C-alpha cells in the first residue's frame, strides 16, 4: 500500500520543476502533465501543493485522472489532518445578485436564466454563457428566430392538441430534447442526474455529453429507475424518457472505441457525433476568467506562455485549443458506425451534430447515409459568425429539399420560445434541442428542470392552438413567412467548382448508392 503523505511535504511541490496536487485525499504528480493538460498548465500551477478537489470535481468527468495520468504519478493518500484548507484564488465580477428570483416567478426561459445567474458561482456563469470571438454566431442564433414570422389560421376546433413526436426511434411527449452540455455539477451536486430525472419524468430524450460530470452508467440507472415510476397514456415502456450518447471523437482511436462500446452496452438509444469541434472555439470570457484567476494568484505568464502548442516540433501533438480529434473527417464515419452497430440490425440511429451548411448536410445524408443530421453552431461557441441553424435549414430546403424526406433533421441554438420550436417544425425539423436553458435550470435542481420543460411545453401548446393546428404533423411551410431570412440565403452555392455539390453531384451520388 502507498505510504501516507504529509500535507507539508506536498506543499513543497508547487513549481514547474515539481508540481503535485491533491484531489479527493490523494496526491498526484502532474509535473510532466502540465503542458498536456487541456485546461492549461497555469491552473495546475496555481493549485500546486494544494488541495484542488473543490475546483477539480465539477469540471472533470469521473475517471479523468485514472485515464490520463500514468500509475506511477499517483503518489498515494495524504493525511487529511496535515492539509490546510488553503483558499483558492477567487475572481468575481459584478453580476446583478441583488435579489433571488423564485422559480414560481419565472414565466419564460430567459427568466430562468436570470434566476440562475443570481445563485450560481461566477465560474459556472462564465462557462455556460461564453461564446466564440465577437459573439457573432451567438447573436445570429437569437436574431434569426425573429426574422421568421408565424401565419396563424383561425376558426378551427383546437380543443385537444397532440404534442408527441417520434425522434430517433423513440416516442417523446414533446418535440424537444435536452442538448449535450458538460459540467452540470458546477451548479448542483446532483449535476446531470437532475436532467436524467427531468427527461424520465416528462418523457423526453436527453443527450448527455461525453464530458458528463456524472458517470454515464449512473445516468442510465437513474433514468431507468425514474421511468418505472411514471406511465404515460399510449406510451410503450421503452418510449418517453430516453438517453442518447453524445460522442466527442478523441485524439486516440482506442478511447473513441471505448466510449462507443460503453454507450451501446449501457443501452443508450442513439449515437450523436459532434463534428464542429476540431478545436475548441476562442471563448474569450472563459479565457479572460482563467487569466484573471492566474493574475490573482500572482502568475503573470499569460503574455508569454499561454496557448503555446504542447510541442511545436511534434506533428502528432494537438493544435492550439485541440481538445478533441482534429483529424476527424468523413472517412472516419464507417469505422465509427461499425463500432456502434457491431453488426446488429437493431442498433440505434446515428446523428451528426454540428452541420452548418447545405453542402455538408448533403454529404452526410446522400454521401454517407447518416440517419439524422443535427444542425447546430454549438450555441455560438465555436466558429464566429457561423449561421444560425434555422438559416442552415432554409439553405437545405432551397438546395437539397429531398434531404428532409431521407433523414431526420434536428436543430438547436437560441431556441427559447414555443414559437421557435413551431417555426423549426414547420420548416421540416423533426425536433429541436436546448442547451443553456437546461444548464441554468440545474442550478434550481429537479424543480428547475421541470419548470423549463413545463414552460416550453405550455408555450408550444398555446402556439399550436393559436395557429389552428391540433397535431405537429399538420405543421408545414405554409404556416411561416420566411421571406426576410430567405433574402439572406445565397442564390447558389459558391463552392469554387459550381458543379461540385450541385444537382449533378447529388444525382451521381444517388446513382452510386
Ligand atoms: C490531476 C490531473 C488532471 C487531469 C488528468 C486533468 C484533465 C483534464 C481534462 C481531460 C480536461 C478537458 C475536459 C473538458 O474539456 O471538459 C481538463 C480541463 C480542465 N481542467 Fe483538468 N485535469 C487535472 C487536474 C486539474 C486541476 C487540479 C484543476 C484545477 C484545480 C484543473 C482544471 C481544469 C480546467 C479549468 C479545465 C477546463 C478547461 C476549459 O474549459 O477549456 N484540472 N482537465
Ligand atoms: C455550457 C455548454 C456546454 C456544452 N457542452 C457540449 C458538449 O459537451 N457536447 C456538445 O456536443 N455540445 C455541447 N454544447 C453545445 C450544446 O449541445 C448546444 O449545441 C447549444 O448549447 C445550443 O444552443 P443554446 O445553448 O442556445 O440552446 C455545450 C453548450 C453549452 C452552453
Amino acid at each position: 500500500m502507498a505510504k501516507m503523505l504529509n500535507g507539508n511535504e506536498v506543499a513543497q511541490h508547487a513549481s514547474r520543476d515539481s508540481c503535485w496536487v491533491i484531489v479527493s485525499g490523494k496526491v498526484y504528480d502532474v509535473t510532466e502533465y502540465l503542458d498536456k493538460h487541456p485546461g492549461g498548465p497555469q491552473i495546475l500551477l496555481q493549485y500546486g501543493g494544494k488541495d484542488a478537489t473543490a475546483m477539480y470535481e465539477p469540471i472533470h468527468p469521473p475517471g479523468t485522472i485514472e485515464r490520463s495520468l500514468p500509475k506511477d504519478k499517483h503518489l498515494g493518500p495524504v493525511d487529511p489532518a496535515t492539509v490546510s484548507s488553503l483558499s483558492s484564488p477567487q475572481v468575481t465580477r459584478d453580476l446583478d445578485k441583488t435579489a433571488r428570483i423564485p422559480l414560481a416567478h419565472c414565466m419564460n426561459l430567459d427568466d430562468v436564466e436570470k434566476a440562475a445567474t443570481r445563485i450560481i458561482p461566477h465560474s459556472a456563469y462564465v462557462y455556460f454563457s461564453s461564446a466564440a470571438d465577437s459573439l457573432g454566431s451567438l447573436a445570429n442564433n437569437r436574431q434569426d428566430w425573429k426574422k421568421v414570422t408565424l401565419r396563424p389560421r383561425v376558426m378551427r376546433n383546437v380543443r385537444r392538441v397532440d404534442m408527441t413526436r417520434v425522434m430517433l426511434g423513440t416516442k417523446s411527449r414533446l418535440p424537444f430534447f435536452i442538448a449535450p452540455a458538460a459540467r452540470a455539477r458546477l451548479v448542483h451536486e446532483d449535476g446531470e442526474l437532475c436532467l436524467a430525472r427531468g427527461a424520465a419524468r416528462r418523457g423526453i430524450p436527453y443527450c448527455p455529453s461525453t464530458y458528463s460530470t456524472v458517470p454515464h452508467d449512473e445516468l442510465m440507472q437513474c433514468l431507468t429507475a425514474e421511468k418505472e415510476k411514471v406511465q404515460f397514456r399510449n406510451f410503450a415502456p421503452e418510449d418517453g424518457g430516453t438517453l442518447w450518447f453524445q460522442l466527442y471523437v478523441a485524439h486516440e482511436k482506442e478511447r473513441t472505441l471505448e466510449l462507443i462500446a460503453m454507450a451501446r452496452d449501457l443501452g443508450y438509444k442513439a449515437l450523436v457525433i459532434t463534428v464542429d469541434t476540431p478545436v475548441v472555439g476562442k471563448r474569450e470570457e472563459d479565457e479572460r476568467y482563467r487569466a484573471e484567476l492566474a493574475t490573482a494568484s500572482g502568475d503573470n505568464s499569460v503574455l508569454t506562455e499561454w496557448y503555446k502548442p504542447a510541442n511545436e516540433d511534434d506533428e502528432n501533438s494537438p493544435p492550439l485549443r485541440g481538445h478533441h480529434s482534429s483529424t476527424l473527417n468523413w472517412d472516419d464515419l464507417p469505422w465509427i458506425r461499425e463500432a456502434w452497430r457491431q453488426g446488429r440490425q437493431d442498433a440505434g440511429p446515428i446523428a451528426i451534430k454540428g452541420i452548418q451548411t447545405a453542402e455538408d448536410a448533403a454529404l452526410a445524408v446522400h454521401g454517407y447515409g447518416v440517419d439524422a443530421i443535427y444542425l447546430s453552431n454549438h450555441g455560438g461557441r465555436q466558429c464566429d459568425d457561423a449561421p444560425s441553424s434555422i438559416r442552415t435549414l432554409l439553405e437545405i430546403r432551397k438546395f437539397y429539399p429531398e434531404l428532409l424526406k431521407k433523414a431526420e433533421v434536428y436543430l438547436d441554438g437560441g431556441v427559447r420560445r414555443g414559437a421557435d420550436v413551431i417555426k423549426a417544425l414547420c420548416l421540416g425539423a423533426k425536433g429541436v434541442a436546448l442547451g443553456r436553458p437546461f444548464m441554468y435550470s440545474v442550478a434550481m435542481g429537479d424543480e428547475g428542470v421541470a419548470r423549463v420543460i413545463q414552460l416550453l411545453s405550455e408555450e408550444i401548446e398555446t402556439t399550436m392552438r393559436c395557429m389552428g393546428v391540433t397535431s405537429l404533423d399538420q405543421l408545414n411551410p405554409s404556416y411561416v413567412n420566411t421571406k426576410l431570412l430567405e433574402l439572406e440565403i445565397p442564390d447558389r452555392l459558391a463552392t469554387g467548382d459550381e458543379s461540385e455539390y450541385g444537382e449533378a453531384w447529388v444525382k451521381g451520388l444517388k446513382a452510386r448508392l
Side-chain angles (χ1 to χ4, degrees):
M1 211 173 96
K3 83 170 171 95
M4 181 77 84
L5 291 153
N6 184 295
N8 295 328
E9 185 191 349
V10 178
Q12 309 303 310
H13 299 266
S15 70
R16 259 201 175 268
D17 296 333
S18 180
C19 183
W20 294 4
V21 290
I22 303 170
V23 175
S24 305
K26 294 191 182 131
V27 183
Y28 300 96
D29 180 351
V30 292
T31 319
E32 285 169 24
Y33 188 67
L34 287 173
D35 287 325
K36 296 183 198 141
H37 181 227
Q42 289 72 25
I43 188 94
L44 294 179
L45 287 165
Q46 279 157 38
Y47 281 85
K50 304 187 184 92
D51 188 344
T53 314
M55 174 80 183
Y56 175 91
E57 275 195 335
I59 293 179
H60 301 78
T64 302
I65 292 185
E66 289 73 7
R67 266 195 313 275
S68 316
L69 270 192
K71 273 272 163 290
D72 63 324
K73 306 297 175 195
H74 299 218
L75 303 181
V78 60
D79 178 357
T82 61
V83 180
S84 53
S85 49
L86 289 163
S87 59
S88 13
Q90 292 292 327
V91 175
T92 45
R93 275 187 248 128
D94 290 337
L95 283 181
D96 177 10
K97 299 255 181 201
T98 41
R100 288 194 170 212
I101 302 174
L103 204 48
H105 295 188
C106 294
M107 294 304 151
N108 56 56
L109 272 46
D110 289 328
D111 286 352
V112 173
E113 173 175 336
K114 197 165 162 194
T117 56
R118 301 226 172 148
I119 56 176
I120 63 180
H122 185 61
S123 56
Y125 175 72
V126 169
Y127 177 62
F128 290 0
S129 63
S130 66
D133 306 68
S134 75
L135 313 183
S137 32
L138 183 73
N140 290 342
N141 287 354
R142 287 304 288 269
Q143 286 161 6
D144 283 356
W145 287 113
K146 287 292 166 210
K147 292 183 185 160
V148 176
T149 51
L150 293 176
R151 303 186 65 245
R153 303 299 305 275
V154 295
M155 297 288 284
R156 293 173 173 183
N157 180 348
V158 289
R159 174 79 186 80
R160 304 193 78 80
V161 297
D162 176 7
M163 293 186 280
T164 58
R165 241 306 118 119
V166 176
M167 298 193 283
L168 296 181
T170 307
K171 186 170 166 184
S172 167
R173 287 184 68 236
L174 297 159
F176 61 85
F177 61 94
I178 306 173
R183 303 187 201 161
R185 287 191 65 208
L186 279 173
V187 293
H188 194 285
E189 61 178 349
D190 281 1
E192 286 84 354
L193 289 174
C194 299
L195 297 168
R197 284 194 285 261
R201 289 174 189 167
R202 299 289 167 144
I204 62 169
Y206 169 33
C207 183
S209 162
T210 299
Y211 290 128
S212 169
T213 44
V214 172
H216 290 87
D217 57 342
E218 285 180 32
L219 292 177
M220 185 53 88
Q221 282 156 19
C222 169
L223 181 104
T224 311
E226 283 302 317
K227 275 184 79 168
E228 279 167 12
K229 299 182 200 157
V230 290
Q231 176 59 54
F232 303 117
R233 209 150 53 93
N234 299 331
F235 269 62
E238 65 275 17
D239 286 329
T242 308
L243 292 181
W244 302 335
F245 180 72
Q246 179 266 321
L247 174 73
Y248 272 131
V249 177
H251 293 293
E252 312 81 16
K253 187 170 174 182
E254 275 313 303
R255 175 68 189 141
T256 305
L257 292 172
E258 215 176 271
L259 285 167
I260 296 173
M262 174 204 67
R264 197 194 48 234
D265 295 348
L266 286 173
Y268 280 68
K269 289 277 187 322
L271 182 68
V272 176
I273 312 167
T274 299
V275 298
D276 57 9
T277 41
V279 292
V280 169
K282 177 170 174 268
R283 301 172 193 163
E284 294 177 8
E285 272 308 299
D286 268 341
E287 298 188 356
R288 182 175 293 116
Y289 178 66
R290 260 182 273 150
E292 285 172 353
L293 271 182
T295 315
S297 63
D299 170 1
N300 287 313
S301 62
V302 61
L303 295 176
T304 50
E305 290 283 316
W306 286 40
Y307 310 120
K308 275 190 193 161
N311 182 351
E312 286 171 45
D313 302 327
D314 176 1
E315 61 176 42
N316 292 321
S317 146
L320 182 66
R321 300 188 178 85
H323 289 199
H324 322 293
S325 168
S326 302
T327 62
L328 176 68
N329 65 81
W330 294 106
D331 291 339
D332 288 315
L333 265 185
W335 67 258
I336 294 177
R337 187 177 354 222
E338 183 42 40
W340 173 248
R341 290 195 178 153
Q342 288 282 299
R344 278 180 9 207
Q345 293 301 317
D346 62 344
I350 293 182
I352 304 279
K353 175 175 188 275
I355 298 283
Q356 294 159 73
T357 57
E359 292 94 319
D360 279 342
L363 261 179
V365 178
H366 292 319
Y368 290 86
V370 303
D371 307 298
I373 50 174
Y374 180 164
L375 316 179
S376 173
N377 63 24
H378 215 103
R381 292 159 81 80
Q382 285 298 111
C383 189
D384 200 9
D385 294 331
S388 65
S389 54
I390 189 73
R391 190 177 290 238
T392 306
L393 181 56
L394 284 182
E395 229 180 70
I396 293 171
R397 291 194 70 81
K398 182 164 179 172
F399 297 106
Y400 301 109
E402 75 287 351
L403 283 190
L404 295 161
K405 293 203 180 76
K406 200 164 169 191
E408 294 183 13
V409 177
Y410 296 93
L411 61 78
D412 71 18
V415 175
R416 299 293 180 269
R417 289 287 180 181
D420 301 339
V421 179
I422 296 292
K423 290 170 192 175
L425 268 47
C426 285
L427 292 167
K430 194 86 168 152
V432 308
L434 297 91
R436 292 185 185 84
F438 280 111
M439 294 307 276
Y440 289 118
S441 75
V442 172
M444 288 158 279
D446 291 346
E447 285 186 344
V449 177
R451 184 80 178 146
V452 162
I453 300 174
Q454 180 205 354
L455 286 168
L456 202 57
S457 160
E458 282 176 11
E459 287 182 7
I460 295 170
E461 188 174 339
T462 302
T463 308
M464 284 175 76
R465 291 206 169 92
C466 293
M467 300 274 294
V469 298
T470 52
S471 144
L472 299 176
D473 298 336
Q474 293 162 8
L475 295 171
N476 63 54
S478 76
Y479 286 97
V480 280
N481 178 348
T482 54
K483 176 129 194 230
L484 202 54
L485 202 49
E486 304 261 5
L487 289 175
E488 298 177 25
I489 305 291
D491 293 331
R492 53 202 312 210
L493 296 178
T495 58
D497 173 1
E498 292 292 345
S499 64
E500 190 182 356
Y501 295 114
E503 222 171 288
W505 179 79
V506 174
K507 269 193 197 137
L509 266 176
K510 275 184 186 159
R512 273 180 274 135
L513 286 173

